Amino acid sequence: MWMIRVLVLAVVLCGGVPWGAVCAPAANPIDAAAMQAIAKSIGWGVKSSDPCTWAGVSCNQVGRITSIVASHAGLRGYLDGGDLSKLTFLSNLDLSFNGLSGSLPVLPKPLQFLRTIDLGSNSFNRLPDGFYAGLPALETIVLDNNRLRFAWSEQSDIPSSRLRSFSANNVSMYAGFPNFFGNATSFPALERLSLARNQIWGTVHTGFGANSKIRYLDIGGQTGNAGDRMNGRLDVFIAGMLNLVEAHLDHYGFSGPLPDATKLVNLRVFDASYNDLCGAPKFPTGTTVDLTGNPRVGRGC
């Protein structure tokens, strides 16, 4: 008889969940209200009032939302920073490959645990001042394939101490090259920097990336008029990026000698096609090298 009473009590407390199943807590009321507001504003069709039961949403043991993954979900609308900032335990946000538009959200209250953000492949059209200020724990961010149209002078508040990966490919960025990313003291954890297919101009400074952890660098495919393109020399910075594994530097406007990369023992891919480089290639054995479109390679400089 006592077993029957325990079973009935368990079913009641778990809202009808069968015996042996995991009894997940309901969402915290503040989180639930915020998620309902977010769902309404971006057209996220959900049938339950409890966000902890939604596909792609994860909650902790006390019903606080920790992760939202709604990629390829057909979402449309605007992402409100006020609602988002109420999810104080959120650590992962992935809303990539949807139709979200307008400005990227500015959070009135910083999200202290939000480490990973993927807002790539949407229709966002502005990166406002203060966007990064609400992300003090940021480690990985993907903004690819939006029309953000921003310049680096507006982005002085990027959190740097924990940042491991920054990706902003094809975001209509028109700005001078962000040499600050190559400062290993300011960005001690940065391993991946991807800024391809924008309209970046200017010169990569001597010593960029020296002693850094950068393993993947993609700054290729820059567009724009010849006078507004990137320029400078590869040999003044590549040789000092000792952790480099993959480098994409094509269509960039680099000139001068090829770097001596023989000390880059981890290097596996090096693409510097369609620049104006010269000299003899010097790369570790096993590196895949593309120097197409550099007619002076193999000749003296």
Side-chain angles (χ1 to χ4, degrees):
M1 180 64 69
W2 67 271
M3 284 293 293
I4 295 176
R5 291 176 178 173
V6 170
L7 176 57
V8 170
L9 179 61
V11 171
V12 170
L13 292 177
C14 292
V17 177
W19 178 260
V22 175
C23 182
N28 172 277
I30 295 175
D31 287 23
M35 285 294 289
Q36 290 287 354
I38 291 170
K40 183 177 180 180
S41 66
I42 63 177
W44 191 357
V46 292
K47 297 180 180 180
S48 169
S49 61
D50 181 4
C52 290
T53 67
W54 299 357
V57 175
S58 299
C59 298
N60 63 15
Q61 298 88 337
V62 293
R64 305 310 300 260
I65 292 169
T66 58
S67 177
I68 302 171
V69 179
S71 181
H72 296 276
L75 306 179
R76 298 285 188 276
Y78 302 92
L79 187 60
D80 183 74
D83 293 326
L84 193 61
S85 68
K86 295 174 184 176
L87 305 177
T88 54
F89 282 76
L90 190 66
S91 64
N92 176 57
L93 177 65
D94 182 356
L95 298 176
S96 59
F97 294 95
N98 285 293
L100 303 179
S101 56
S103 177
L104 290 174
V106 173
L107 305 177
K109 295 181 180 179
L111 289 178
Q112 301 292 340
F113 302 107
L114 186 52
R115 299 190 301 269
T116 303
I117 301 175
D118 189 346
L119 298 175
S121 299
N122 278 283
S123 299
F124 290 111
N125 58 22
R126 182 169 176 262
L127 198 162
D129 290 341
F131 169 69
Y132 294 110
L135 308 170
L138 188 64
E139 296 180 3
T140 299
I141 186 166
V142 179
L143 300 173
D144 301 349
N145 303 316
N146 285 286
R147 304 289 291 178
L148 298 175
R149 299 183 181 88
F150 68 91
W152 288 115
S153 59
E154 304 167 0
Q155 311 308 322
S156 60
D157 57 350
I158 297 176
S160 58
S161 62
R162 300 182 184 180
L163 190 66
R164 297 180 56 192
S165 179
F166 186 96
S167 187
N169 298 312
N170 190 33
V171 295
S172 300
M173 183 194 311
Y174 181 78
F177 184 80
N179 281 286
F180 54 81
F181 277 122
N183 186 324
T185 301
S186 299
F187 290 84
L190 188 63
E191 298 179 353
R192 183 183 183 95
L193 178 62
S194 193
L195 304 170
R197 304 185 306 282
N198 285 294
Q199 299 178 53
I200 299 175
W201 47 268
T203 302
V204 181
H205 290 172
T206 298
F208 173 87
N211 302 313
S212 73
K213 293 183 178 180
I214 296 176
R215 297 165 52 85
Y216 180 94
L217 176 66
D218 187 355
I219 54 177
Q222 303 301 322
T223 61
N225 299 323
D228 295 330
R229 296 277 298 277
M230 288 295 301
N231 55 68
R233 294 172 53 155
L234 286 178
D235 61 321
V236 300
F237 72 94
I238 285 293
M241 301 181 70
L242 299 180
N243 289 304
L244 199 60
V245 175
E246 191 166 336
H248 297 270
L249 311 160
D250 56 287
H251 297 86
Y252 207 86
F254 286 117
S255 60
L258 281 164
D260 182 351
T262 53
K263 293 183 180 180
L264 306 185
V265 296
N266 299 310
L267 191 63
R268 295 296 176 266
V269 176
F270 186 88
D271 181 0
S273 56
Y274 299 98
N275 285 287
D276 186 24
L277 303 171
C278 58
K282 299 178 182 179
F283 295 93
T285 301
T287 302
T288 299
V289 178
D290 188 351
L291 298 173
T292 305
N294 290 277
R296 296 195 295 152
V297 166
R299 304 178 186 177
C301 296

